[in-house]
Amino acid sequence: MSSKALTMQRKEFLPLETGHLTESAIRKCEEELNERETLGRKAKGLQELRSLLQKNPKSEGIDFHEDFLVGFLRRNKYRVENARQQILKLMHLHETENMFGGVPEEYLDLPSNKFLVLLPMRCQDDCALFICRWGKWDPSELPLEQLKQMVWMLILQSLRDPMTQINGFKIIHDLEGMSFKQLKYCTPSNFSLLYNSAVICLPARYKEMHYISDSHLFKIIWNMIKPIMSEKIRNRVYFHSNKEELFHYFPRCIMPTVYGGDIQETAMEDWIKRANKEHTKCTLRGQPNYY
């Protein structure tokens, strides 16, 4: 990555909601994720995965939606056994955690709900971009249980977009404003649960994680997070001491105004409410893609 700030124009970037797969996404799906239609890989993978799931006592009898299964196959590059194991891990987690169903509506308009922002423009490599501003989260306003539901809802509903399934996410963790009010929830067990659910159980591809902090608190947090992460994820982590450093990786035209970018924060509020309403219909069998 160049040490100079990216200066690309907004017209060079795709909106989050394209409504179709681009040629580059189709090519990436075939070449990188092994979904080669000419070899019948998708149909064969689906057939094998359904067969394996029906042989397992936990998953037999569940009529999984085809798009839901394809998401796991893509995430695992059509390694069918890995996809099966990931689905079973999701089912196991769902036995103790409410992964499905929407966030209660009364939480959607709270200031604390703004801690997690999905941006309306894709990155230069077509990844979707989340910003988590942990200092904005007030646990007395948005309890931990609802925070977890919010995270799971946004990831699962985002993954109904094939462009996001294929290209993945980039996440910016902004720790500015964090205090002991949030730190008391930063326990190894909570970190493990969020990591396990988001990375191990859900079929999401995480391409980069950026942490912004010049606080000594981050050292405490990182020492708890690091052992939980896989080496693959750790190698995709970037550290920044200030917001300006983000522009070596993200152009201003896709970043929020509060970070010195061009995007208004309210741009995705309607999307979040629509996604939450859709998530009330989500069950273990999954949901169809948006297109």
Side-chain angles (χ1 to χ4, degrees):
M1 183 64 64
S2 170
S3 60
K4 296 182 179 179
L6 294 178
T7 57
M8 303 168 77
Q9 300 298 311
R10 184 167 177 173
K11 64 182 180 181
E12 300 177 61
F13 296 85
L14 292 172
L16 178 70
E17 298 180 277
T18 61
H20 68 280
L21 281 177
T22 62
E23 289 185 10
S24 62
I26 294 171
R27 187 165 56 250
K28 182 183 290 186
C29 197
E30 292 178 346
E31 296 175 358
E32 188 175 327
L33 306 186
N34 299 322
E35 189 175 293
R36 298 182 183 276
E37 289 296 341
T38 54
L39 301 177
R41 193 70 191 91
K42 185 175 181 179
K44 183 180 179 182
L46 277 167
Q47 184 179 15
E48 291 178 6
L49 182 55
R50 285 191 185 278
S51 177
L52 288 173
L53 289 169
Q54 289 307 311
K55 292 176 182 177
N56 189 287
K58 278 193 173 184
S59 52
E60 65 177 348
I62 299 177
D63 182 21
F64 291 101
H65 198 285
E66 179 176 309
D67 288 343
F68 189 61
L69 296 182
V70 169
F72 284 93
L73 287 169
R74 286 172 172 168
R75 161 63 178 79
N76 291 281
K77 299 185 177 181
Y78 277 79
R79 294 184 289 264
V80 177
E81 175 58 22
N82 289 7
R84 182 192 74 91
Q85 290 180 15
Q86 191 174 31
I87 291 170
L88 293 177
K89 287 174 182 176
L90 175 62
M91 295 180 68
H92 179 72
L93 181 64
H94 183 57
E95 292 175 359
T96 57
E97 298 290 336
N98 183 19
M99 300 283 293
F100 307 107
V103 179
E105 287 190 8
E106 60 265 28
Y107 291 105
L108 293 181
D109 293 320
L110 294 175
S112 278
N113 183 45
K114 307 300 186 291
F115 88 96
L116 185 58
V117 179
L118 175 62
L119 297 184
M121 301 298 293
R122 292 183 177 274
C123 300
Q124 55 269 33
D125 52 4
D126 296 338
C127 289
L129 179 59
F130 275 114
I131 298 181
C132 302
R133 296 182 297 175
W134 294 105
K136 296 285 185 182
W137 174 45
D138 183 349
S140 66
E141 183 179 75
L142 182 68
L144 179 63
E145 189 62 31
Q146 278 65 52
L147 178 143
K148 292 187 293 183
Q149 289 178 334
M150 179 70 67
V151 171
W152 295 329
M153 179 273 288
L154 286 175
I155 295 174
L156 279 164
Q157 292 303 312
S158 296
L159 288 172
R160 292 176 64 194
D161 187 329
M163 280 288 288
T164 303
Q165 283 181 14
I166 294 167
N167 293 297
F169 295 103
K170 294 182 181 180
I171 303 177
I172 298 171
H173 292 281
D174 185 353
L175 277 63
E176 182 181 353
M178 275 194 72
S179 67
F180 285 98
K181 178 170 62 176
Q182 294 92 11
L183 190 63
K184 67 180 181 180
Y185 292 93
C186 296
T187 64
S189 60
N190 283 337
F191 282 134
S192 180
L193 173 61
L194 286 173
Y195 180 85
N196 184 52
S197 59
V199 179
I200 306 300
C201 296
L202 297 182
R205 308 183 72 211
Y206 298 98
K207 308 306 290 182
E208 292 178 7
M209 290 190 182
H210 296 258
Y211 289 86
I212 314 170
S213 178
D214 59 358
S215 169
H216 67 282
L217 291 178
F218 179 67
K219 292 182 180 179
I220 300 173
I221 295 170
W222 179 244
N223 285 335
M224 285 188 280
I225 299 174
K226 186 178 178 180
I228 298 169
M229 289 181 168
S230 68
E231 182 179 2
K232 181 178 181 180
I233 294 293
R234 286 199 302 270
N235 289 337
R236 295 179 177 183
V237 171
Y238 300 84
F239 302 102
H240 310 285
S241 59
N242 58 68
K243 295 174 182 177
E244 194 67 24
E245 292 179 9
L246 290 173
F247 296 119
H248 299 319
Y249 299 84
F250 307 100
R252 294 182 188 274
C253 61
I254 70 168
M255 292 291 286
T257 53
V258 69
Y259 287 85
D262 301 335
I263 300 295
Q264 295 296 323
E265 279 194 49
T266 57
M268 293 299 288
E269 287 183 359
D270 287 344
W271 186 94
I272 290 173
K273 290 180 178 179
R274 281 189 283 119
N276 189 57
K277 188 174 182 179
E278 282 289 309
H279 203 57
T280 61
K281 309 170 191 175
C282 188
T283 67
L284 263 178
R285 69 178 298 267
Q287 290 176 285
N289 289 340
Y290 293 130
Y291 55 87

